Amino acid sequence: MTSTASAAAVATPFERATDLAALTRPDFPLLAQTACLGQPLIYLDHAATSQKPRQVLEALQHYYDHDNANVHRGAHQLSARATEGFEGARAKAATFIGASSPNEIVFTRNASEAINLVARSWGDANLRPGDEVLLTVMEHHSNLVPWQLLAQRTGCVLRHAGVTPEGGLDLDDLRSQLSERTRLVSLVQVSNTLGCLNPIAEVASLAHGVGALLLVDACQSLPHLPVNVADLGADFLVGSSHKLCGPTGMGFLWGREALLEAMPPFLGGGEMIQDVYLDHSSWAGLPHKFEAGTPAIGEAIGMGAALDYLNAIGLERIHAWEQQLTAQLFTRLQAVEGLTVLGPTPQQQPDRGALAAFHVEGVHAHDIAALLDSAGICIRSGHHCTQPLHRHYGLSASARASLSFTTTPEEIDRFAEELQGAISFLREHS
């Protein structure tokens, strides 16, 4: 079996690959473990967090074994190597999304912090009472709560575009809510619950047409399909390492350089300063102005290794393989009596996300997840940090199976069989 490390060196195995699960699973030690009663573990919760390949684990270990030192501050060789790895990861992130410069990449703890950075820095400096921020009802709480707090601080008004009956973005509703008062549009590229792929480039054109900026939450799109900020027409974009086969505690904000230059610092402390006096300070240049204190150095280097890994496979190839898996998942779920999947089907939107959130009439999502876990199958149940969207559908919770390029067709079939058995058991004993 060819590993990803060798594939990255010669490229040809991935160029020939169609079954990416067979090719990549040897790189993921966690996926080889057995679960309850000796059954193979089936992990179908990739939308919550991705698993990490050996190449990422080795990059983390190598940093702490060989290069552990603070970045930007030391003249010695360890600091030089740590800085090279840390800034190298920034350059990789910039290339991954088509940024104009690594200076446009600000490292954060996660995408939530990245959105809060924009709300606190750009929002506090630019929004006044009566200004409007346009969101959607499908947003993750990370793209709702920071704007609610901003509205409390500034008096700006929040508006929310709805969803279509098929479970996609209601573009007509979004268009109707745009006005000269709209200062920012912020929305997800791929919904973590509906799985719909939103028409970001069209939304960007509409937003810019009324003089508004556009922020894109790309957490659920970056691991699954090519994303280029220039093609999208975005002004800000956020991503999270742990969704990208990288470590937790690491994410990034991309912003247009001119916007970032004009924004005040988010946090104060070491690293983000140029000169400090007892009564005032001046700020470092981009992107360090926004990165106070010692950063997550190993995690950034690990994220860089994860981006290398995904690039070695190819995002186009990942997307094509996951489209096949998603079609199979929907076929199996649509055959279950009383089960309703939220969001568009692959027939309605072929490029939709590789996940399916669903509810079953008369059966609670938590009970389904618990029974599947006893069979060694890990899925998500709950509101998936989209409570307003679940209220829109009259639901308190849904179950969600989310896929990755490491998912096998056999795992989907076994999940569907165990799901049917769990539903039958719960109905019989309700």
Side-chain angles (χ1 to χ4, degrees):
M1 185 69 66
T2 303
S3 73
T4 303
S6 59
V10 299
T12 51
F14 281 134
E15 290 172 3
R16 296 194 303 264
T18 53
D19 184 346
L20 292 185
L23 187 61
T24 60
R25 282 180 73 96
D27 289 331
F28 290 79
L30 182 143
L31 298 178
Q33 67 182 277
T34 55
C36 319
L37 306 176
Q39 299 174 91
L41 178 74
I42 296 178
Y43 185 78
L44 299 178
D45 197 19
H46 296 275
T49 198
S50 58
Q51 295 305 328
K52 324 306 176 191
R54 296 181 191 277
Q55 291 80 352
V56 170
L57 305 178
E58 290 167 359
L60 277 168
Q61 188 68 35
H62 183 274
Y63 165 72
Y64 285 111
D65 281 345
H66 298 280
D67 301 331
N68 181 40
N70 216 324
V71 294
H72 305 138
R73 301 177 187 179
H76 55 77
Q77 57 191 294
L78 294 183
S79 180
R81 293 204 300 264
T83 299
E84 181 181 8
F86 181 75
E87 293 300 334
R90 193 189 308 276
K92 291 173 184 179
T95 300
F96 194 77
I97 63 168
S100 298
S101 165
N103 289 340
E104 295 182 328
I105 300 293
V106 177
F107 284 146
T108 59
R109 288 179 301 169
N110 42 52
S112 299
E113 185 177 277
I115 296 174
N116 275 275
L117 191 163
V118 176
R120 274 284 182 181
S121 180
W122 178 86
D124 283 1
N126 289 278
L127 296 190
R128 302 291 179 266
D131 289 341
E132 295 182 359
V133 175
L134 178 56
L135 311 168
T136 82
V137 299
M138 71 177 73
E139 298 308 311
H140 190 282
H141 297 164
S142 293
N143 201 25
L144 290 173
V145 178
W147 308 115
Q148 293 170 355
L149 295 173
L150 176 66
Q152 293 171 12
R153 294 194 303 272
T154 66
C156 71
V157 176
L158 305 185
R159 296 192 176 277
H160 304 85
V163 297
T164 64
E166 296 76 27
L169 174 66
D170 189 335
L171 198 59
D172 289 335
D173 187 29
L174 183 144
R175 187 183 290 109
S176 72
Q177 297 198 55
L178 287 167
S179 74
E180 69 280 356
R181 296 182 300 276
T182 310
R183 301 296 306 282
L184 178 77
V185 178
S186 185
L187 79 164
V188 69
Q189 185 172 16
V190 172
S191 167
N192 74 321
T193 300
L194 300 174
C196 59
L197 176 64
N198 289 328
I200 297 299
E202 188 171 356
V203 173
S205 178
L206 292 171
H208 294 157
V210 297
L213 300 179
L214 174 67
L215 185 149
V216 178
D217 174 356
C219 287
Q220 296 294 338
S221 53
L222 288 171
H224 302 288
L225 71 161
V227 174
N228 184 287
V229 292
D231 294 342
L232 294 179
D235 300 291
F236 299 106
L237 181 140
V238 303
S240 194
S241 166
H242 77 98
K243 300 281 204 297
L244 285 160
C245 297
T248 58
M250 170 55 56
F252 65 87
L253 164 70
W254 167 82
R256 295 190 185 277
E257 192 160 354
L259 289 171
L260 296 177
E261 287 281 11
M263 288 161 52
F266 174 45
L267 299 171
E271 194 75 13
M272 51 73 67
I273 52 84
Q274 180 65 43
D275 292 297
V276 176
Y277 302 88
L278 291 179
D279 59 352
H280 70 280
S281 300
S282 59
W283 315 132
L286 292 178
H288 308 295
K289 176 175 70 172
F290 297 107
E291 296 178 358
T294 297
I297 304 166
E299 287 75 8
I301 291 170
M303 183 178 74
L307 299 181
D308 286 342
Y309 187 89
L310 295 175
N311 281 330
I313 303 173
L315 271 298
E316 296 88 352
R317 189 162 288 105
I318 287 173
H319 185 49
W321 172 241
E322 290 179 351
Q323 280 181 300
Q324 297 179 46
L325 297 174
T326 305
Q328 178 188 354
L329 175 64
F330 267 73
T331 296
R332 296 302 304 259
L333 290 177
Q334 288 166 338
V336 178
E337 182 181 356
L339 184 151
T340 302
V341 182
L342 304 179
T345 68
Q347 292 75 31
Q348 292 169 324
Q349 192 181 74
D351 288 333
R352 62 155 288 129
L355 61 89
F358 58 91
H359 63 96
V360 180
E361 184 180 356
V363 180
H364 200 284
H366 291 332
D367 294 331
I368 292 173
L371 284 181
L372 288 176
D373 182 58
S374 69
I377 301 173
C378 304
I379 69 166
R380 190 66 172 263
S381 63
H383 52 65
H384 320 308
C385 293
T386 57
Q387 283 185 298
L389 179 64
H390 277 76
R391 291 193 188 97
H392 169 80
Y393 285 107
L395 301 172
S396 61
S398 62
R400 185 185 69 191
S402 51
L403 314 178
S404 151
F405 56 85
T406 60
T407 304
T408 69
E410 293 76 17
E411 287 179 324
I412 294 174
D413 285 341
R414 180 156 174 261
F415 157 69
E417 293 163 3
E418 293 288 350
L419 173 64
Q420 183 64 75
I423 292 171
S424 297
F425 175 85
L426 292 168
R427 282 173 172 161
E428 181 180 347
H429 293 85
S430 62

